[in-house]
Amino acid sequence: MNSFKINSPISEQTFRSGLAMIVLAFISALPLAAQAPAENTNAQAATVEAVQIEAVGTITGQGTTGRIAKFTGTNSIGNSIIAESSSKIGIGIATPSSKLTVQGSATNPMILGNNTGSGAGVQGMSTGGFGVIGKSSRTGVQGICTGSVGNGVWGSAPSDTGVFGSTSTGRGVYGNATGSGGVGVFGQSSAGNGVEGSSPGGTAVYGNGILGVFGQGNSGGSGVYGNSSTGVGVWGDSGSSDGVFGRSTNGTGVHGMANGVGVFGEAGSYGVIARGSVGIYAAPTTGNTIAGLFGGNVQINGNLTKSSGSFKIDHPLDPANKYLYHSFVESPDMKNIYDGTVTLDEKGEAVVPMPDYFSALNQNFRYQLTAIGAPAPNLYVAQKMTDNHFKVAGGKPGMEVSWQVTGIRHDAYARDHRIAVEEDKGKERGFYLYPAGFNEPKGKAVGPTGKLFADQSPNLENVASSQ
């Protein structure tokens, strides 16, 4: 019987395992007549030493210490790409750095897990570190789901981070969904962060799609929450559409709350544009009195309705320490007031001229005359307003007369927008513009006034405590 000649310095255990495989393969290839009787097959195969075979030739070969051997030919043994070093297995590397290290250069995946069942293709688990770490100059970890209801990459953590992405200049986490019902990146966490991106110089989380980033908050939480100690909490940028768009079916579309400025709008055209049943509503918080403050001219293309009105200026006698207020002149009509003084001629008469636009703007004139310096019981309006002037007579020559004329506007806008002096409250019946004046609670205020006076704000208790 021929003997085996092995020139590979492999261990005895490795050699015995390989020899057993060779023997079993060799026996199955022999003709039935050359094999032992059937009743003795199991007993003879119990140990390698009991098998009596005839070798087809001398098995030769050489190997490298630490490399797992393989058959390189029918009768030869050589190195495989698998190595063992310090209880670590390497594929494509002689000195593996982990329990299993795979190294190579290929266009296909280095490790491919394909599960035709319902389990995971590749699963990484760790009790104290990272379950899976992917490192690459292109894509560290790529997850592809070919089914209609799967996840390309799925991360779950009971108290920490489901998926964590970090980059120095690129994207911490990038997700792309090509279908209309897909999700680029989905993160779920029972107590921590569903998705967290950290990037010191780039974009922590980047979304690209019809909706760049979509957030949905449940149980009173926030759909999207942005927090920054020195910068911008939430930044929206668009080349042709809305930088930030907020929509709510029964709440507030966009709500800004701050110790400084709640909502700040800056633009080359309009800083803030508001549309609605009430375009803009403003009310002071408790303890404050100013609902709106304008630092420049205010233009109103419509009717101005107010509870009262006055001017406020620095007091002429003590401008550094006091203000001076005067109330507006109120009238049930759209009334203009004109006044002045005139000196009577040698006949005790005078013509009082008015501006060129006077008759085009006003109608239904009223007159007041007051003599200055002496009584003038015969002073009267000798001629009513004609061609933008009226005539005064009945006084003494050289007498000074103070006059006042009022007119009701009849320009195009005033003609089409007459003030209704009295109006039924209709749907607002039982509510008040000033409920406190009638011993009614704030909830009886017309419109949203009562809610805003109560300082109602969104519940922020369910925002993640880690933020």
Side-chain angles (χ1 to χ4, degrees), residues 87-399:
S87 300
K88 299 175 182 177
I89 300 298
I91 300 177
I93 182 173
T95 56
S97 59
S98 59
K99 198 67 177 178
L100 175 62
T101 303
V102 180
Q103 179 173 299
S105 176
T107 57
N108 295 324
M110 295 301 300
I111 297 177
L112 175 63
N114 186 4
N115 189 343
T116 58
S118 60
V122 175
Q123 178 174 341
M125 298 178 61
S126 175
T127 57
F130 294 97
V132 175
I133 294 180
K135 183 178 181 181
S136 172
S137 59
R138 292 290 300 278
T139 303
V141 175
Q142 181 181 16
I144 299 176
C145 178
T146 58
S148 59
V149 289
N151 298 298
V153 174
W154 188 80
S156 176
S159 60
D160 205 334
T161 305
V163 175
F164 177 81
S166 177
T167 178
S168 59
T169 57
R171 301 181 178 105
V173 174
Y174 177 84
N176 184 22
T178 57
S180 60
V183 178
V185 174
F186 176 80
Q188 183 177 8
S189 175
S190 58
N193 299 322
V195 175
E196 178 177 338
S198 176
S199 175
T203 301
V205 176
Y206 175 80
N208 183 11
I210 299 299
L211 294 176
V213 175
F214 175 81
Q216 179 176 339
N218 300 318
S219 302
S222 301
V224 175
Y225 176 82
N227 182 25
S228 175
S229 58
T230 57
V232 179
V234 175
W235 173 277
D237 189 358
S238 175
S240 58
S241 186
D242 298 315
V244 174
F245 177 80
R247 182 175 62 181
S248 175
T249 55
N250 57 5
T252 302
V254 175
H255 179 91
M257 182 170 57
N259 293 329
V261 179
V263 175
F264 178 79
E266 183 177 7
S269 180
Y270 296 96
V272 176
I273 293 180
R275 294 186 301 178
S277 58
V278 177
I280 296 177
Y281 181 84
T285 55
T286 302
N288 297 298
T289 58
I290 299 178
L293 176 63
F294 299 90
N297 297 332
V298 177
Q299 177 178 330
I300 300 174
N301 296 331
N303 184 48
L304 174 63
T305 302
K306 54 186 174 46
S307 299
S308 64
S310 63
F311 72 69
K312 174 185 178 181
I313 63 172
D314 295 319
H315 199 294
L317 299 180
D318 192 1
N321 301 299
K322 293 183 179 180
Y323 293 111
L324 179 66
Y325 294 85
H326 272 28
S327 179
F328 290 166
V329 175
E330 308 291 348
S331 168
D333 303 312
M334 302 175 74
K335 183 172 292 187
N336 293 320
I337 299 177
Y338 305 84
D339 57 16
T341 60
V342 66
T343 301
L344 303 182
D345 60 14
E346 64 277 4
K347 295 181 180 180
E349 301 176 350
V351 174
V352 181
M354 306 303 293
D356 293 341
Y357 56 79
F358 183 83
S359 295
L361 180 63
N362 299 282
Q363 64 181 0
N364 300 337
F365 307 111
R366 301 291 185 269
Y367 307 88
Q368 292 286 339
L369 301 175
T370 302
I372 299 174
N378 297 322
L379 189 65
Y380 68 101
V381 176
Q383 181 182 342
K384 294 194 297 184
M385 193 71 63
T386 304
D387 295 332
N388 297 322
H389 67 271
F390 70 99
K391 186 177 181 180
V392 178
K396 296 180 179 180
M399 174 176 283

Side-chain angles (χ1 to χ4, degrees), residues 10-29:
I10 59 177
S11 63
E12 180 180 354
Q13 180 180 359
T14 303
F15 175 75
R16 287 179 178 275
S17 299
L19 181 59
M21 296 176 62
I22 296 172
V23 170
L24 293 178
F26 186 80
I27 292 175
S28 63

